[in-house]
Amino acid sequence: MLLPLALALLAPVQTDAAPDPLAPVKAGRIRCIDPDRAARTCGTLVHYTLRGDGAFDAQVTGVVNREPLIVLEYATFGQVRDGAVCSRIRPADFNAGKLTSNGTALSPALETNTRAKLLEALQPLAGHERCYRDSGAGELTVHVTIDGLLRPDMSQSAIWVLPEDGYAPGR
Protein backbone atom coordinates (compact mmCIF):
# COMPACT_ATOMS: atom_id res chain seq x y z
CA MET A 1 0.00 0.00 0.00
CA LEU A 2 2.89 2.37 0.63
CA LEU A 3 4.48 1.61 -2.76
CA PRO A 4 1.76 3.39 -4.83
CA LEU A 5 2.36 6.54 -2.80
CA ALA A 6 6.07 6.26 -3.35
CA LEU A 7 5.48 5.77 -7.05
CA ALA A 8 3.39 8.91 -7.14
CA LEU A 9 6.51 10.98 -6.82
CA LEU A 10 7.32 10.45 -10.46
CA ALA A 11 5.54 11.15 -13.68
CA PRO A 12 6.35 10.93 -17.45
CA VAL A 13 9.49 12.56 -18.93
CA GLN A 14 9.65 14.48 -22.23
CA THR A 15 11.85 15.27 -25.22
CA ASP A 16 11.05 17.57 -28.12
CA ALA A 17 9.81 14.58 -30.15
CA ALA A 18 7.56 13.23 -27.39
CA PRO A 19 4.25 14.78 -26.35
CA ASP A 20 4.39 16.82 -23.15
CA PRO A 21 3.32 14.42 -20.38
CA LEU A 22 2.51 17.34 -18.08
CA ALA A 23 0.43 19.28 -20.62
CA PRO A 24 -2.72 18.76 -18.47
CA VAL A 25 -1.03 20.80 -15.71
CA LYS A 26 -1.08 23.83 -18.02
CA ALA A 27 -4.87 23.39 -18.18
CA GLY A 28 -5.12 23.41 -14.36
CA ARG A 29 -5.41 19.64 -13.92
CA ILE A 30 -4.23 17.44 -11.04
CA ARG A 31 -2.97 13.87 -11.44
CA CYS A 32 -5.15 11.26 -9.73
CA ILE A 33 -3.42 7.91 -9.32
CA ASP A 34 -5.49 4.79 -8.64
CA PRO A 35 -8.81 6.60 -9.19
CA ASP A 36 -12.24 5.53 -8.03
CA ARG A 37 -14.51 7.66 -10.23
CA ALA A 38 -17.71 6.68 -8.43
CA ALA A 39 -16.35 7.70 -5.01
CA ARG A 40 -14.26 10.60 -6.46
CA THR A 41 -11.19 9.36 -4.62
CA CYS A 42 -7.59 8.72 -5.58
CA GLY A 43 -4.91 6.64 -3.94
CA THR A 44 -2.65 9.65 -4.57
CA LEU A 45 -3.18 13.20 -5.84
CA VAL A 46 -0.27 15.11 -7.39
CA HIS A 47 -0.35 18.89 -7.83
CA TYR A 48 2.45 19.90 -10.21
CA THR A 49 4.04 23.34 -10.53
CA LEU A 50 6.04 23.68 -13.73
CA ARG A 51 9.39 25.47 -13.39
CA GLY A 52 10.50 25.48 -17.04
CA ASP A 53 13.18 23.45 -18.83
CA GLY A 54 11.16 20.34 -18.00
CA ALA A 55 11.60 20.78 -14.24
CA PHE A 56 8.67 20.64 -11.82
CA ASP A 57 7.78 20.79 -8.16
CA ALA A 58 5.08 18.45 -6.89
CA GLN A 59 2.83 18.47 -3.85
CA VAL A 60 1.80 14.85 -3.28
CA THR A 61 -1.07 13.71 -1.06
CA GLY A 62 -1.62 10.00 -0.78
CA VAL A 63 -3.06 7.22 1.31
CA VAL A 64 -0.45 5.32 3.34
CA ASN A 65 -2.93 3.32 5.43
CA ARG A 66 -6.56 2.42 4.74
CA GLU A 67 -7.83 1.44 8.19
CA PRO A 68 -7.66 3.84 9.81
CA LEU A 69 -7.32 6.11 6.79
CA ILE A 70 -3.96 7.85 7.09
CA VAL A 71 -2.77 10.36 4.49
CA LEU A 72 0.72 11.70 3.88
CA GLU A 73 1.28 15.09 2.25
CA TYR A 74 4.81 15.91 1.09
CA ALA A 75 6.72 18.01 -1.44
CA THR A 76 9.17 16.74 -4.04
CA PHE A 77 10.62 17.76 -7.40
CA GLY A 78 11.79 16.24 -10.66
CA GLN A 79 12.17 16.70 -14.38
CA VAL A 80 10.46 15.65 -17.58
CA ARG A 81 12.87 13.77 -19.85
CA ASP A 82 12.38 11.72 -22.98
CA GLY A 83 8.57 11.79 -22.65
CA ALA A 84 8.59 10.57 -19.02
CA VAL A 85 8.13 12.31 -15.66
CA CYS A 86 11.10 11.46 -13.43
CA SER A 87 12.31 12.08 -9.91
CA ARG A 88 14.57 10.54 -7.30
CA ILE A 89 12.98 8.63 -4.47
CA ARG A 90 14.13 10.64 -1.48
CA PRO A 91 13.14 9.31 1.97
CA ALA A 92 13.77 12.82 3.34
CA ASP A 93 10.76 14.06 1.30
CA PHE A 94 8.53 11.47 2.94
CA ASN A 95 10.03 11.96 6.38
CA ALA A 96 9.36 15.72 6.21
CA GLY A 97 5.76 15.11 5.12
CA LYS A 98 2.66 15.70 7.20
CA LEU A 99 0.65 12.66 8.34
CA THR A 100 -3.07 13.07 9.12
CA SER A 101 -6.20 11.03 9.65
CA ASN A 102 -9.48 12.71 8.66
CA GLY A 103 -7.61 16.04 8.58
CA THR A 104 -6.33 15.65 12.15
CA ALA A 105 -2.72 15.15 13.23
CA LEU A 106 -1.88 11.62 14.38
CA SER A 107 -1.06 10.79 17.96
CA PRO A 108 2.70 10.80 18.50
CA ALA A 109 2.80 7.00 18.86
CA LEU A 110 0.76 6.38 15.69
CA GLU A 111 2.79 8.94 13.74
CA THR A 112 6.09 7.37 14.81
CA ASN A 113 4.86 3.88 13.94
CA THR A 114 3.38 4.93 10.56
CA ARG A 115 6.46 6.92 9.56
CA ALA A 116 8.79 4.02 10.50
CA LYS A 117 6.76 1.58 8.37
CA LEU A 118 6.68 4.03 5.45
CA LEU A 119 10.42 4.62 5.51
CA GLU A 120 11.09 0.89 5.83
CA ALA A 121 8.92 0.20 2.76
CA LEU A 122 10.75 2.93 0.78
CA GLN A 123 14.25 1.83 1.72
CA PRO A 124 14.81 -0.54 -1.25
CA LEU A 125 13.98 2.31 -3.66
CA ALA A 126 15.82 5.10 -1.82
CA GLY A 127 18.03 7.15 -4.11
CA HIS A 128 16.81 5.48 -7.28
CA GLU A 129 15.27 7.35 -10.19
CA ARG A 130 11.63 6.53 -10.89
CA CYS A 131 9.99 7.61 -14.13
CA TYR A 132 6.37 7.43 -15.31
CA ARG A 133 5.25 7.17 -18.90
CA ASP A 134 1.52 7.22 -19.68
CA SER A 135 -0.28 5.29 -22.41
CA GLY A 136 -3.89 5.39 -23.46
CA ALA A 137 -6.48 8.15 -23.18
CA GLY A 138 -8.98 9.00 -20.46
CA GLU A 139 -7.99 6.46 -17.82
CA LEU A 140 -4.27 6.08 -18.44
CA THR A 141 -2.00 3.14 -17.89
CA VAL A 142 1.12 4.39 -16.14
CA HIS A 143 4.31 2.47 -16.95
CA VAL A 144 7.02 2.83 -14.30
CA THR A 145 10.76 2.50 -14.67
CA ILE A 146 13.32 2.39 -11.87
CA ASP A 147 16.80 3.47 -13.00
CA GLY A 148 15.65 2.97 -16.60
CA LEU A 149 14.34 -0.58 -16.13
CA LEU A 150 10.64 -1.18 -16.80
CA ARG A 151 8.81 -2.44 -13.72
CA PRO A 152 5.46 -3.94 -14.85
CA ASP A 153 4.72 -4.83 -11.20
CA MET A 154 4.55 -1.08 -10.46
CA SER A 155 2.12 -0.16 -13.25
CA GLN A 156 -0.76 2.06 -12.15
CA SER A 157 -3.84 3.73 -13.54
CA ALA A 158 -4.31 7.50 -13.51
CA ILE A 159 -6.60 10.27 -14.69
CA TRP A 160 -6.25 14.05 -14.81
CA VAL A 161 -8.91 15.92 -12.84
CA LEU A 162 -9.78 19.55 -12.16
CA PRO A 163 -9.73 20.84 -8.57
CA GLU A 164 -13.45 21.55 -8.78
CA ASP A 165 -14.14 17.89 -9.63
CA GLY A 166 -13.87 17.22 -5.88
CA TYR A 167 -11.44 14.29 -5.89
CA ALA A 168 -9.75 13.54 -2.54
CA PRO A 169 -7.38 10.90 -1.18
CA GLY A 170 -9.23 7.75 -0.22
CA ARG A 171 -9.93 4.12 -1.18
Side-chain angles (χ1 to χ4, degrees):
M1 176 136 77
L2 299 174
L3 192 54
L5 176 63
L7 294 176
L9 291 175
L10 303 171
V13 178
Q14 155 191 359
T15 65
D16 293 340
D20 180 358
L22 294 180
V25 173
K26 295 172 188 162
R29 295 192 176 268
I30 301 165
R31 188 173 186 82
C32 171
I33 299 169
D34 192 21
D36 180 335
R37 290 179 189 242
R40 292 196 178 270
T41 60
C42 309
T44 303
L45 286 163
V46 185
H47 297 254
Y48 291 98
T49 301
L50 305 178
R51 290 191 277 151
D53 298 330
F56 62 84
D57 293 313
Q59 189 68 30
V60 182
T61 307
V63 175
V64 295
N65 193 67
R66 295 187 199 280
E67 194 56 46
L69 182 65
I70 299 175
V71 174
L72 174 69
E73 183 177 344
Y74 64 95
T76 192
F77 58 92
Q79 185 155 7
V80 174
R81 274 193 327 275
D82 302 323
V85 178
C86 298
S87 65
R88 291 261 167 225
I89 300 169
R90 292 176 288 275
D93 293 345
F94 292 87
N95 200 38
K98 178 181 170 187
L99 287 164
T100 60
S101 182
N102 297 315
T104 303
L106 303 183
S107 70
L110 183 55
E111 179 172 352
T112 298
N113 186 41
T114 301
R115 200 171 296 280
K117 287 180 181 179
L118 174 63
L119 293 174
E120 181 180 337
L122 287 172
Q123 193 54 44
L125 299 173
H128 295 275
E129 181 181 62
R130 179 186 49 217
C131 295
Y132 294 97
R133 188 178 308 275
D134 295 339
S135 66
E139 186 149 336
L140 307 167
T141 298
V142 182
H143 304 281
V144 177
T145 63
I146 301 293
D147 295 335
L149 298 174
L150 183 62
R151 294 288 305 266
D153 58 309
M154 294 181 172
S155 292
Q156 304 169 292
S157 63
I159 58 175
W160 289 97
V161 298
L162 291 168
E164 58 267 24
D165 292 341
Y167 279 78
R171 291 298 292 187

